[in-house]
Structures are given as C-alpha cells and as structure tokens.
C-alpha cells in the first residue's frame, strides 16, 4: 500500500456527490467486490444479509451526533463546539479563524463569546457568558462536501437509526444506510466511538505517516466484547 498522498488523487465530479439522502435509507447502492473472481457488481444496501456468513458479527458505532454548529448573530463567524472544558469554557473550531484572534469577541443569541487561547492545531478556547447552551438552537455539522446549510430534516437523517450515545461531531456515515429491519436480520454488536474534529481536516502532508491524527473517545461494553471475541468473522 502506498504511503504517498498523491497516489490517492482522483477526480470526483461535484454533480455526483448527493446533497440529499434517498427517501428510504436502504435504497442506497452497494458495491460488492468478489475477491476470488476479481469482479465488481452493484447491488442495493437492503441485500446486505445476502453476503453475510454464519458466525459473522457486524460491529456498529452507536455514537449520536450533537447539534454543535452555531453562527454568530451577524452570520460572519461559524463555530463548531467540540468539548466542554468548564462551566463557561469550550474548545471550538472557528471559521474564518482570522476574525477570531486572541481577545476577539462576538455574540450568539446575545451571549458574548471571547477567544482566550489558540491551540497549535487552530482550535480556539472560548470563554462564554453564563447560561449559554451551544446545543440550544444549534444545527447538525454536515460534512464539507455537502454544499448547503443543514435543516430540520438533517436532525433525523444525519443520524443512524441506532444512535444513542451523544458526543460525536460527525456521523459514522457508512452506517446511515441501515434500517431497523436490516439490523433485525443480522447479528451485530454496538460500540461507541465519538467521531472528532479530525474528520473535517484534510491530509496536507505528502507522506501520510506524517499526518497528525486527533484522539477520539471510545468505549466497548462487555456484552459487545464477548460477541466480538466469539465471532468467526468481524465486519
């Protein structure tokens, strides 16, 4: 496997990037690679069970995305609230960063936000007025390739049907196609991995090994660990 970033360049026409989900989650297309024959076929996601084998266990991430995206009252600054550091202090991603240097202030819902510190990776430590709730009136932090603002429909659709543990700033997008009907037909186990801000940051180093990864919190319940350990194949 190549360790050079340029070896993974390819052209993806913007018109092929869906901006809205299909009405039914499991109507999504599924590409199947048959390794032995070295062939590819296209199926529908609802057919996933067809390709499962006895002894398989599907491992799924039950992290729930929080409505952590907010805009300043004048619409000039976008905040992504990442981590609460204290009653009135949060770690945030801010765009555009040049407008929010140390000491800069703005308002959201009339509450004052002030930049206390800028972290090495550009994250801001923000001091807030007491009583400010970043999730009240917040929106879903859609990926950068979705070229629109989030709306009410994204509250449900940019979330898996099994999301339950709040804390992620992005959805485990490979799981958005699952329905409860599919889950009932397939042995599975839930773990929690809170997708962090690193998912939004591009890889800039030509040598992939030099790319700095952000830490992410996870937990594996004992019941899930037992299922995984007993599985013949983990998916």
């Amino acid at each position: 496997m190549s360790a050079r970033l340029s070896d993974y360049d390819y052209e993806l026409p913007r018109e092929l990037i869906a901006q809205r989900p299909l009405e039914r989650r499991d109507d999504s297309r599924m590409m199947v690679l048959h390794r032995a024959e070295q062939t590819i076929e296209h199926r529908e996601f609802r057919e996933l069970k067809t390709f499962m084998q006895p002894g398989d266990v599907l491992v799924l991430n039950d992290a729930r995305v929080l409505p952590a995206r907010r805009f300043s009252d004048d619409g000039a600054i976008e905040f992504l609230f990442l981590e609460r550091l204290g009653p009135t202090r949060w770690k945030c991603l801010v765009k555009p960063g040049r407008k929010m240097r140390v000491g800069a202030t703005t308002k959201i819902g009339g509450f004052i936000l002030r930049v206390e510190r800028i972290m090495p990776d550009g994250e801001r430590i923000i001091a807030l007025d007491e009583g400010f709730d970043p999730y009240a009136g917040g929106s879903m932090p859609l990926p950068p390739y979705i070229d629109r603002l989030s709306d009410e429909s994204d509250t449900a659709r940019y979330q898996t049907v099994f999301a339950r543990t709040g804390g992620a700033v992005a959805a485990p997008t490979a799981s958005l196609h699952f329905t409860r009907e599919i889950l009932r037909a397939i042995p599975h186990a839930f773990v929690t991995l809170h997708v962090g801000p690193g998912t939004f940051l591009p890889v800039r180093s030509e040598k992939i090994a030099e790319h700095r990864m952000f830490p992410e919190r996870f937990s594996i319940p004992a019941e899930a660990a037992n299922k995984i350990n007993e599985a013949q194949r983990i998916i």
Side-chain angles (χ1 to χ4, degrees):
M1 179 179 291
S2 172
R4 296 177 61 85
L5 181 64
S6 56
D7 288 338
Y8 297 93
D9 286 345
Y10 63 94
E11 185 66 28
L12 177 59
R14 292 195 64 82
E15 63 269 19
L16 297 183
I17 303 175
Q19 298 298 302
R20 295 281 180 181
L22 295 172
E23 184 175 348
R24 285 185 53 88
R25 293 175 183 258
D26 56 2
D27 279 345
S28 301
R29 290 180 295 176
M30 179 175 65
M31 185 174 72
V32 181
L33 169 64
H34 298 282
R35 292 184 179 180
E37 297 83 7
Q38 289 293 292
T39 59
I40 290 175
E41 67 172 316
H42 296 280
R43 305 287 287 267
E44 292 184 339
F45 194 79
R46 65 169 58 89
E47 300 175 273
L48 178 63
K49 183 184 177 182
T50 305
F51 302 96
M52 302 289 287
Q53 302 172 9
D56 286 352
V57 170
L58 183 69
V59 180
L60 300 165
N61 181 6
D62 69 359
R64 186 171 187 83
V65 185
L66 298 173
R69 189 184 193 191
R70 299 292 300 269
F71 290 88
S72 58
D73 289 344
D74 60 6
I77 310 294
E78 177 185 344
F79 291 84
L80 183 61
F81 287 84
L82 303 176
E83 181 183 355
R84 185 175 183 175
L85 304 177
T88 59
R89 295 174 73 247
W90 278 78
K91 182 187 293 184
C92 301
L93 288 180
V94 178
K95 291 195 307 185
R98 67 180 183 277
K99 292 188 176 182
M100 294 300 287
R101 305 293 186 183
V102 173
T105 63
T106 189
K107 291 184 178 181
I108 297 179
F111 291 92
I112 297 175
L113 290 76
R114 179 175 57 84
V115 179
E116 282 191 344
R117 185 155 53 103
I118 300 177
M119 306 297 286
D121 291 306
E123 298 162 318
R124 266 60 173 173
I125 306 302
I126 304 292
L128 315 168
D129 277 352
E130 288 189 16
F132 177 76
D133 180 357
Y135 303 134
S139 60
M140 301 299 275
L142 299 180
Y145 51 82
I146 302 298
D147 191 22
R148 61 176 177 82
L149 294 176
S150 62
D151 56 31
E152 189 64 30
S153 68
D154 296 312
T155 303
R157 293 308 305 271
Y158 189 60
Q159 202 83 264
T160 65
V161 297
F162 46 80
R164 56 188 176 188
T165 308
V169 298
T173 51
S175 297
L176 293 177
H177 314 300
F178 281 94
T179 62
R180 299 190 187 283
E181 291 75 21
I182 291 176
L183 287 179
R184 282 196 289 267
I186 296 176
H188 59 276
F190 290 116
V191 300
T192 303
L193 171 65
H194 290 304
V195 183
T199 193
F200 295 116
L201 301 179
V203 179
R204 294 188 173 91
S205 174
E206 173 62 13
K207 296 180 179 179
I208 295 176
E210 295 177 355
H211 175 63
R212 182 179 180 276
M213 301 292 289
F214 280 68
E216 295 178 327
R217 294 179 292 117
F218 72 93
S219 65
I220 304 176
E223 179 183 359
N226 291 335
K227 285 185 178 180
I228 293 168
N229 288 333
E230 294 169 1
Q232 295 181 25
R233 187 174 67 156
I234 302 166
I235 301 175

